[in-house]
Amino acid sequence: MKLGAVIITMGNRPDDLRALIDSVAKQDGDPVEIVVVGNGAPVTGVPEGVRTIDLPENLGIPGGRNAGIEAFGPNGSDADVLLFLDDDGLLAHTDTAELIRQAFTADPKLGIISFRIADPDTGTTQRRHVPRLRASDPMRSSRVTTFLGGANAVRTKVFAEVGPLPGEFFYAHEETDLAWRALDAGWMIDYRADMVLLHPTTAPSRHAVYHRMIARNRVWLARRNLPAPLVPAYLGVWLLLTLARRPSVPALKAWFGGFTEGWTTPCGPRRPMKWRTVWRLTRLGRPPVI
């Protein structure tokens, strides 16, 4: 089973990027081929043998990762599985690649694996980094309904069947969009606590566009993927959750601006999931209304 790794960078973390590349190169078993995508910035200082792609402009997270996928042939077909890793992360163990090979070989319907993200200093896994509602025990592996964008592995047959990440999202919820399409096609997703990416603890709101993007893309996600009766239910629940979290006035203003934008701008092709997929999501513990 051939593995590849896609890393996108904006050129502002060269030391972290080099450490991540070294951690991938040290994996047990056959070498993992690495492609580094410069998202609007040239890639420099990478070791010999690492392929690079310099995008002339920042295409956002999904756009950059899609460019990395295509570097491995149409839909990544030159590899069996692609790892997607944040450029300031670090694979904690040298057996991660072998565990990935074993997992995908043992389960032909396994399409995506989400790694556990842990702080390198404390070992703590933030609750938001466990992709399920029952997130109190990050050490428990399980089937899940979504995955973490910067710490995962995807069987390339998934891209061939359901398409790439939604480039128009730019940032936020692109993983859930791909996850729902994969689940609708019959693939499964696992969260694996034993596959660890070390990553500094951060707050997603550090990004200036955070509140606008999560609101806009939440609406796009629903419009693209949910059966019509579930669209208002899903978005209504998230509106109430957002208000319950009592964001600042500027954050709330940005959120409602994004929410409006999500309704008034094109969201890409609409392919509502089958009702049996809704039931599968529900049985996995996360019905698509939250």
Side-chain angles (χ1 to χ4, degrees), residues 83-288:
L83 286 68
F84 297 88
L85 306 169
D86 276 352
D87 67 344
D88 55 346
L90 189 75
L91 290 176
H93 309 298
T94 61
D95 65 348
T96 301
E98 282 295 280
L99 290 174
I100 289 169
R101 292 186 181 97
Q102 292 168 15
F104 282 112
T105 300
D107 186 353
K109 294 308 295 179
L110 178 61
I112 302 172
I113 296 174
S114 187
F115 304 165
R116 181 167 64 89
I117 294 179
D119 184 272
D121 297 321
T122 66
T124 301
T125 296
Q126 292 180 272
R127 190 180 183 91
R128 70 183 181 91
H129 284 154
V130 183
R132 58 175 180 246
L133 291 180
R134 296 186 179 92
S136 59
D137 182 9
M139 301 307 294
R140 178 174 65 86
S141 299
S142 68
R143 293 281 201 207
V144 289
T145 62
T146 189
F147 63 98
L148 307 172
N152 66 80
V154 182
R155 196 189 295 267
T156 55
K157 288 181 179 179
V158 173
F159 299 123
E161 186 169 352
V162 307
L165 292 156
E168 58 268 46
F169 278 40
F170 196 84
Y171 162 77
H173 303 319
E174 67 272 4
E175 305 93 348
T176 300
D177 186 89
L178 178 62
W180 282 1
R181 286 183 281 129
L183 288 164
D184 198 47
W187 295 101
M188 300 303 293
I189 306 170
D190 279 356
Y191 166 73
R192 288 286 296 265
D194 56 340
M195 301 179 188
V196 182
L197 184 81
L198 300 177
H199 187 283
T201 298
T202 56
S205 55
R206 70 190 185 280
H207 298 292
V209 296
Y210 171 76
H211 296 286
R212 169 177 157 258
M213 290 291 193
I214 61 166
R216 183 197 69 179
N217 292 0
R218 184 81 68 183
V219 177
W220 281 359
L221 179 69
R223 289 175 59 197
R224 286 163 59 98
N225 295 287
L226 290 181
L230 294 185
V231 172
Y234 177 79
L235 295 176
V237 167
W238 278 104
L239 171 61
L240 293 175
L241 284 172
T242 299
L243 295 174
R245 291 168 178 168
R246 302 178 69 181
S248 66
V249 171
L252 195 60
K253 183 177 179 180
W255 192 94
F256 274 108
F259 191 80
T260 301
E261 185 181 350
W263 286 108
T264 58
T265 54
C267 64
R270 173 167 166 76
R271 299 187 181 96
M273 66 178 64
K274 297 179 280 291
W275 283 103
R276 68 186 181 193
T277 305
V278 173
W279 176 236
R280 174 188 287 184
L281 289 162
T282 303
R283 286 191 292 110
L284 288 171
R286 190 153 198 162

Side-chain angles (χ1 to χ4, degrees), residues 66 69-79 82 156-157 159-160:
N66 286 340
I69 293 168
E70 292 302 306
F72 287 92
N75 298 307
S77 56
D78 292 343
L82 292 180
T156 55
K157 288 181 179 179
F159 299 123

